[in-house]
Amino acid sequence: MNRQTKAAILRAGIAAPSADNSQPWRFAWSGDDLDLRIDASRSGRVSDTRYVLSDLAAGACLENMIIYARSLGYVADLQTFPRDDDELWVARIRWHRDPECDPHEPLAGAIEQRHTDRRFPWRGPITTDMQARLDAQARLIPGQRLYWPQTPREKKTALNVIRQAETLRFRSPTLHAELFSSIRFAVGWHSACEEGLAPATLAVEPPMRPVFQALRRPSVMAMFNWLGAASVLGLRSAWLPIRLSPGLCLLVIPSTARSDVLAGGRALQRVWLEATLAGLSVQPYAAAGILSLGFVPVEPVFQRPLARLSSALGALCAPGHGLVFLRLGHAGSASRDRSGRRGLASFGDFQ
Ligand SMILES: Cc1cc2nc3c(=O)[nH]c(=O)nc-3n(C[C@H](O)[C@H](O)[C@H](O)COP(=O)(O)O)c2cc1C
């Protein structure tokens, strides 16, 4: 592999999504072997204890690289979590040319287009054909599947579980601190940034922006919470957009073993790329699934509601663990506000 090919594979990798745009990836080449590691300085925060969010992002990054390399005629021999005593080492990928490999890889064309869209309302329909296409992409990764709430009762439960989890992100001081620390208010409401969440990507209505920005202070958030602000924010950030969108599905992983979470990230990415090819907009909602796993150290006062949330989610999609909801639909126009990426050189030493 020449340098340009290696760089192009890594660029495909870093186009992947990551929670809060943390981009928690490190790369190292030895010959044509590539090591993918989790970046210790960009992982392990409160919601990422046990690296669930980082493993999902690593899986998405891995899948992007595999898809892109395949379009160039390379296949990957994959060894995941090569060493038990090195929890940050996610995968070693051995690339080789395979004359049998069919380089026709339509998903490769969606790698740069895929992005998170937080606007609403979106139009439908999400046809059963479309659902089947997305299901098929998830199932290409062994053990992974999508769950689609069908009945009004299932839809209501899913919506409530998501709303409650999103509300908790504003109510719990621990989660509030984590959420607001990833928003780069310094860049203003109209610019992009290369790491973290640019305010422009959050789709906050202009009149609400000063209030939202003021809520980054714990004391202001606590005061507004007396007036029910967390519930209003849960309604606005989750309930309303989902009610006004035609599609909602949930990525379900078979177990919380890190290899299954990594595989979940791969499936998530395949589904998202397929949705992008079909012209769909996508917004993930991860709080309900992540908080339900019971790994996130929230304040004791929130543990009982969290246990209820966890059992409601478990009953909805059993067997397995529902990890990331995806809101889907057709936006009327392309979204202008996109998250940036750091320069490639910051992801490792490539000399
Ligand atoms: C594991 C994971 C969890 C995410 N959770 C959320 C979420 O709860 N809400 C949300 O709006 N976006 C969520 N995102 C989307 C990221 O914020 C987004 O991927 C990142 O900002 C980069 O932007 P891009 O997807 O447009 O490239 C999540 C992404 C991943 C991979």
Side-chain angles (χ1 to χ4, degrees):
M1 264 183 186
N2 60 32
R3 279 172 75 107
Q4 286 87 343
T5 304
K6 288 179 176 178
I9 289 176
L10 298 189
R11 270 197 294 276
I14 68 170
S18 57
D20 297 334
N21 199 20
S22 54
Q23 305 165 42
W25 312 294
R26 298 285 297 170
F27 305 107
W29 289 98
S30 51
D32 284 353
D33 291 355
L34 174 64
D35 287 341
L36 168 61
R37 301 178 62 86
I38 285 175
D39 184 339
S41 66
R42 294 181 169 85
S43 60
R45 300 201 311 160
V46 204
S47 299
D48 194 32
T49 32
R50 308 241 193 140
Y51 300 119
V52 175
L53 289 170
S54 291
D55 286 342
L56 284 168
C61 170
L62 187 58
E63 196 59 21
N64 262 11
M65 294 193 290
I66 291 173
I67 291 168
Y68 181 77
R70 179 173 280 270
S71 75
L72 302 179
Y74 289 94
V75 293
D77 281 341
L78 195 60
Q79 193 188 358
T80 58
F81 300 104
R83 279 180 52 165
D84 287 344
D85 61 348
D86 187 346
E87 60 182 8
L88 299 175
W89 191 2
V90 172
R92 168 157 286 192
I93 311 147
R94 188 153 284 172
W95 305 103
H96 59 92
R97 275 205 173 277
D98 181 353
E100 306 282 290
C101 161
D102 174 9
H104 178 67
E105 183 47 279
L107 293 188
I111 287 174
E112 292 296 332
Q113 270 75 53
R114 182 220 58 82
H115 64 280
T116 302
D117 191 345
R118 298 187 179 86
R119 299 170 303 162
F120 64 96
W122 291 343
R123 285 174 292 111
I126 308 293
T127 60
T128 47
D129 242 29
M130 188 66 240
Q131 290 190 16
R133 269 172 69 182
L134 300 180
D135 282 338
Q137 289 298 344
R139 286 190 188 277
L140 277 177
I141 307 295
Q144 310 298 313
R145 68 183 172 93
L146 294 179
Y147 161 77
W148 299 83
Q150 298 287 351
T151 63
R153 193 191 167 93
E154 287 172 351
K155 287 181 183 164
K156 192 174 167 196
T157 306
L159 201 52
N160 275 335
V161 160
I162 302 170
R163 181 185 55 76
Q164 285 163 17
E166 297 298 323
T167 300
L168 203 61
R169 296 178 83 188
F170 297 99
R171 198 166 275 158
S172 151
T174 307
L175 297 179
H176 165 271
E178 182 182 46
L179 172 64
F180 277 87
S181 67
S182 62
I183 304 174
R184 303 287 188 262
F185 287 109
V187 304
W189 285 91
H190 303 288
S191 306
C193 57
E194 63 171 27
E195 189 171 12
L197 297 171
T201 64
L202 300 179
V204 178
E205 293 78 6
M208 290 310 295
R209 290 175 183 172
V211 181
F212 185 74
Q213 189 160 348
L215 292 178
R216 75 187 187 284
R217 295 178 192 280
S219 56
V220 178
M221 187 76 243
M223 193 178 76
F224 273 79
N225 273 345
W226 279 103
L227 304 169
S231 303
V232 174
L233 288 162
L235 286 171
R236 162 60 188 84
S237 65
W239 190 88
L240 194 61
I242 295 171
R243 275 308 294 259
L244 298 180
S245 300
L248 182 70
C249 64
L250 172 64
L251 173 75
V252 184
I253 62 170
S255 85
T256 56
R258 288 190 65 187
S259 54
D260 278 335
V261 179
L262 184 74
R266 296 183 61 188
L268 174 74
Q269 186 64 1
R270 294 196 73 88
V271 169
W272 202 333
L273 292 174
E274 183 73 32
T276 303
L277 278 185
L280 289 171
S281 283
V282 176
Q283 179 180 11
Y285 286 88
I290 298 293
L291 293 173
S292 288
L293 297 178
F295 301 155
V296 182
V298 289
E299 294 79 2
V301 64
F302 301 117
Q303 270 155 18
R304 193 176 287 182
L306 214 50
R308 279 199 298 271
L309 191 151
S310 176
S311 72
L313 183 62
L316 199 60
C317 64
H321 298 265
L323 210 47
V324 183
F325 280 97
L326 295 177
R327 174 170 75 92
L328 302 159
H330 294 273
S333 59
S335 88
R336 282 177 299 122
D337 301 306
R338 305 274 288 261
S339 286
R341 293 294 185 274
R342 304 188 331 260
L344 202 52
S346 69
F347 289 89
D349 181 8
F350 308 122
Q351 299 316 308

